[in-house]
Amino acid sequence: MSKLKASSTKVRKNRYITVSGTLSRYYSSKNRFGAFPGQKVRIIFRFRGKKTWYHVKWVKTNSKGRYTAKVRAYGDGYFAATFAGTSDTWAASTPNDRYVNTYAVPSPGGRSGPPPVMTVLSWRGDQ
């Protein structure tokens, strides 16, 4: 598998990014590597500081062995891709984990958290 690429490594939390890569195999009859089309690749995600990987999405490789997936960035963490193998090929995974840094949009007034409480008078002006 080629290295995993991400469309953006800094993105707003819970927004979508695109991850992509290529799956190839060695063809002994041709004595070279080539595309591995029509194979299922699993996209996985791990939160920063944690050990557990979570399944995000299944994608299939195209005729050139390329795969692309639009996935949600749930928080700061790492994306990777794995291939389970077939009856005549080994399992493989990406040689890198692509780190994605997420951020939250600040609320009005430049503060983090809920907006401040404001005193509102009734329409008659009495208190």
Side-chain angles (χ1 to χ4, degrees):
M1 291 188 93
S2 70
K3 288 187 174 183
L4 188 74
K5 298 175 196 156
S7 61
S8 177
T9 55
K10 187 167 183 176
V11 65
R12 195 166 142 190
K13 192 172 183 178
N14 291 321
R15 296 292 180 169
Y16 287 92
I17 63 166
T18 302
V19 294
S20 61
T22 305
L23 179 65
S24 58
R25 69 173 284 179
Y26 182 77
Y27 292 96
S28 58
S29 61
K30 298 177 183 177
N31 201 22
R32 66 179 176 89
F33 282 90
F36 202 7
Q39 301 301 311
K40 285 174 65 173
V41 174
R42 180 190 295 241
I43 307 298
I44 55 178
F45 176 76
R46 177 175 63 93
F47 286 101
R48 182 183 66 183
K50 304 293 181 186
K51 294 181 180 180
T52 306
W53 286 92
Y54 297 95
H55 168 80
V56 177
K57 190 172 198 174
W58 285 106
V59 291
K60 260 191 168 180
T61 58
N62 66 11
S63 62
K64 295 182 180 181
R66 296 184 184 131
Y67 60 89
T68 302
K70 188 175 179 182
V71 294
R72 189 182 296 261
Y74 294 104
D76 291 353
Y78 301 88
F79 282 96
T82 62
F83 170 64
T86 62
S87 61
D88 64 344
T89 57
W90 296 96
S93 63
T94 50
N96 69 322
D97 303 333
R98 194 69 184 157
Y99 182 75
V100 174
N101 185 13
T102 58
Y103 62 90
V105 174
S107 62
R111 297 177 151 179
S112 59
V117 176
M118 298 174 63
T119 305
V120 179
L121 300 175
S122 67
W123 64 275
R124 286 179 281 170
D126 56 8
Q127 295 177 337

